[in-house]
Amino acid sequence: MGSMDMNRRKLLGIAAAGAAASLIHAPAVAQASPRVVIVGGGFAGATLARTLKKADPRVSITLVESSRTFTACPFSNAVIAGLRDLEAQQFGYDKIVGEGVTLAFETATAVDVGARTVTLAGGVTLAYDRLVLAPGIDIRWNALPGYDQAAARQIPHAWKAGEQTMLLRRQLEAMEDGGVVIISAPANPFRCPPGPYERASLIAYYLKTRKPRSKVIVLDAKDQFSKQKLFVNAWKELYPDHLEWVSLSQGGNVTSVDVAAKTLHTDFGAHKGDVVNVIPPQRAGHVAEVAGVADRSGWCPIDPVTFESKLQPNIHVLGDAAIAGGMPKSAFAANAQGKVCAFALAKLLEGAAAGETKLINTCYSLVAPDYGISVAGVYRPANGTFADVEGSGGVSPLKAPREIRTLEADLANDWFGTITTEVFG
Ligand SMILES: Cc1cc2nc3c(=O)[nH]c(=O)nc-3n(C[C@H](O)[C@H](O)[C@H](O)COP(=O)(O)OP(=O)(O)OC[C@H]3O[C@@H](n4cnc5c(N)ncnc54)[C@H](O)[C@@H]3O)c2cc1C
């Protein structure tokens, strides 16, 4: 069988009805090799799959992913503001399959930690020596009273990229000039700490350039947020008439959602919008709870050297789902964790100990298409979690000529190209 045929079989076999056969009766060589099952083919899981295969080609890796096309969240705020097409966010898994990873395009629905098996929605059961869960986030429906799945069809969260992103974009496009856009930002922790503020900025850019009598109001459950001074300074300069931020202490904490009235209630009053975007409270992807690796916070405590769950042996948790101390929930961090975990797993599978290492994160945000800012950090394992390496990292200079902001916007674009090529290309 040619390698193309083999790849096709790997890609298609599992999703097809008779898939169980191709999976369970794996070639003899695969049966002898250690089995790693990864649930979630996003920034963390897909990085891990590729890196582990390269680090130890004898490991038999199955990547379980619900969707055949991955839609990336970074830069999805630019899609909402009409600056970019959704297609620019979308990636497939052919290259990963070509490197010898088996893809199962299904949802993992159950984990038997005793038998070390994962069950997929179609009924196939996968045995593992090590299981890695990288499911990203799920929304905590109804944690904000009035905000459930049905509400999200009218008041999008757009915090998972795809149809929700396009729904918010279409609502903005349909809004009359003079309208009010409201964004509610959640308390920590949540996916992409600077994300709500980048979104507000790019929506303000859209309004200023396309619907100048309109404005965007951010109702925030916090008094402080990532890159705050940089954002606030840029807003004063670029969007004094188009963007308003209401902090927790100014009454920004949203306590309930009235979908029919497009109104967000706070302790201090009610805000009616023409377009409303609720970024709701979140938790680790559901499969983490199913596997018993999420604690009462909804997120997953892990060992910072191996990413092994502190609650279940032989299960590792990566990316947004994990509790990673000072490390933010970002694609950059998920990618770094995928690589570190791959090398740790390669060691563990050969019976050796994994060594400590440091991880880097950089989060770029666009305040306008040609105005970028960033925050960077370096983290090391400490006291069972990740701590900042003192003296490392930092944010963009508070005062800088406009060329620096333009350069950072270019760097942000380059970063997206680099990371998505590394993970999917
Ligand atoms: C608006 C916005 C802007 C952002 N901008 C940036 C940015 O500029 N820079 C940055 O670094 N980060 C950014 N992020 C954050 C980034 O998107 C996430 O931190 C990153 O996607 C986390 O990677 P992950 O692998 O943990 O989860 P994901 O990338 O979400 O991948 C999880 C995958 O798991 C799959 N999955 C879940 N459960 C199952 C199951 N049971 N069975 C099978 N498959 C399953 C899902 O389909 C998904 O493909 C942004 C986020 C948002 C919302």
Side-chain angles (χ1 to χ4, degrees):
M1 189 186 281
S3 70
M4 281 298 288
D5 288 342
M6 181 71 100
N7 292 344
R8 257 183 78 75
R9 195 176 67 87
K10 279 193 163 139
L11 186 66
L12 302 175
I14 295 161
S22 73
L23 250 185
I24 290 170
H25 306 296
V29 121
Q31 275 170 7
S33 45
R35 294 156 306 178
V36 171
V37 174
I38 305 166
V39 176
F43 285 100
T47 302
L48 172 80
R50 283 186 109 162
T51 315
L52 180 57
K53 195 70 197 172
K54 279 183 198 132
D56 187 349
R58 102 208 135 88
V59 179
S60 154
I61 304 173
T62 304
L63 178 56
V64 181
E65 166 55 53
S66 306
S67 174
R68 283 176 181 269
T69 303
F70 179 74
T71 306
C73 284
F75 278 77
S76 65
N77 287 329
V79 176
I80 291 166
L83 299 164
R84 190 179 171 89
D85 291 334
L86 191 69
E87 290 69 43
Q89 303 295 114
Q90 295 184 318
F91 303 89
Y93 292 91
D94 290 359
K95 287 279 169 53
I96 299 176
V97 171
E99 288 171 6
V101 173
T102 301
L103 254 292
F105 289 118
E106 281 207 59
T107 298
T109 50
V111 176
D112 184 330
V113 292
R116 291 199 201 168
T117 58
V118 179
T119 304
L120 309 186
V124 169
T125 295
L126 304 175
Y128 65 82
D129 296 305
R130 296 272 172 177
L131 171 63
V132 183
L133 300 180
I137 58 147
D138 267 331
I139 305 297
R140 278 180 194 271
W141 300 113
N142 287 312
L144 196 53
Y147 198 70
D148 57 15
Q149 279 104 321
R153 289 194 282 276
Q154 292 178 63
I155 294 186
H157 53 79
W159 220 241
K160 289 188 178 191
E163 187 40 46
Q164 280 277 305
T165 312
M166 293 310 292
L167 180 58
L168 184 53
R169 172 172 164 158
R170 285 194 299 269
Q171 290 182 351
L172 281 175
E173 285 167 353
M175 189 182 82
E176 301 278 330
D177 191 6
V180 174
V181 181
I182 301 181
I183 299 175
S184 92
N188 294 322
F190 63 99
R191 157 177 283 184
C192 194
Y197 313 97
E198 178 187 70
R199 178 171 292 176
S201 304
L202 293 182
I203 289 179
Y205 176 83
Y206 170 79
L207 300 178
K208 183 178 171 180
T209 51
R210 309 286 287 278
K211 295 177 181 167
R213 294 191 298 113
S214 315
K215 81 188 280 189
V216 53
I217 300 171
V218 184
L219 300 176
D220 209 327
K222 304 178 289 305
D223 279 327
Q224 262 133 37
F225 61 86
S226 174
K227 292 178 267 192
Q228 185 163 356
K229 280 192 180 143
L230 286 159
F231 272 114
V232 170
N233 285 355
W235 292 343
K236 275 189 200 137
E237 181 191 338
L238 302 176
Y239 311 121
D241 303 324
H242 294 97
L243 196 158
E244 184 187 336
W245 175 63
V246 184
S247 67
L248 168 70
S249 31
Q250 292 165 324
N253 185 36
V254 173
T255 50
S256 68
V257 179
D258 182 340
V259 179
K262 282 194 189 168
T263 297
L264 301 183
H265 292 276
T266 67
D267 290 332
F268 290 48
H271 296 259
K272 183 174 166 44
D274 297 289
V275 172
V276 183
N277 168 216
V278 167
I279 304 170
Q282 299 149 34
R283 59 179 168 82
H286 179 60
V287 70
E289 193 183 311
V290 167
V293 294
D295 70 13
R296 289 174 63 185
S297 72
W299 306 101
C300 307
I302 47 130
D303 176 275
V305 176
T306 61
F307 291 87
E308 188 163 5
S309 165
K310 289 184 178 171
L311 303 179
Q312 299 289 351
N314 305 310
I315 304 184
H316 302 246
V317 186
L318 299 182
D320 285 359
I323 299 174
M327 276 197 106
K329 298 187 186 303
S330 74
F332 196 121
N335 173 254
Q337 293 171 7
K339 289 181 219 171
V340 171
C341 182
F343 290 113
L345 277 179
K347 284 281 178 204
L348 294 175
L349 291 169
E350 68 187 32
E356 275 194 28
T357 185
K358 296 191 181 72
L359 291 90
I360 302 177
N361 177 69
T362 305
C363 283
Y364 294 98
S365 299
L366 295 179
V367 185
D370 61 350
Y371 192 123
I373 54 176
S374 65
V375 56
V378 185
Y379 307 90
R380 63 181 171 83
N383 304 321
T385 186
F386 289 102
D388 291 83
V389 171
E390 267 184 54
S392 68
V395 294
S396 309
L398 264 183
K399 288 198 168 61
R402 191 57 189 263
E403 302 85 77
I404 297 288
R405 308 301 188 208
T406 305
L407 188 66
E408 286 226 76
D410 292 344
L411 287 174
N413 271 294
D414 293 348
W415 166 77
F416 185 81
T418 305
I419 192 170
T420 53
T421 304
E422 189 187 306
V423 179
F424 298 103

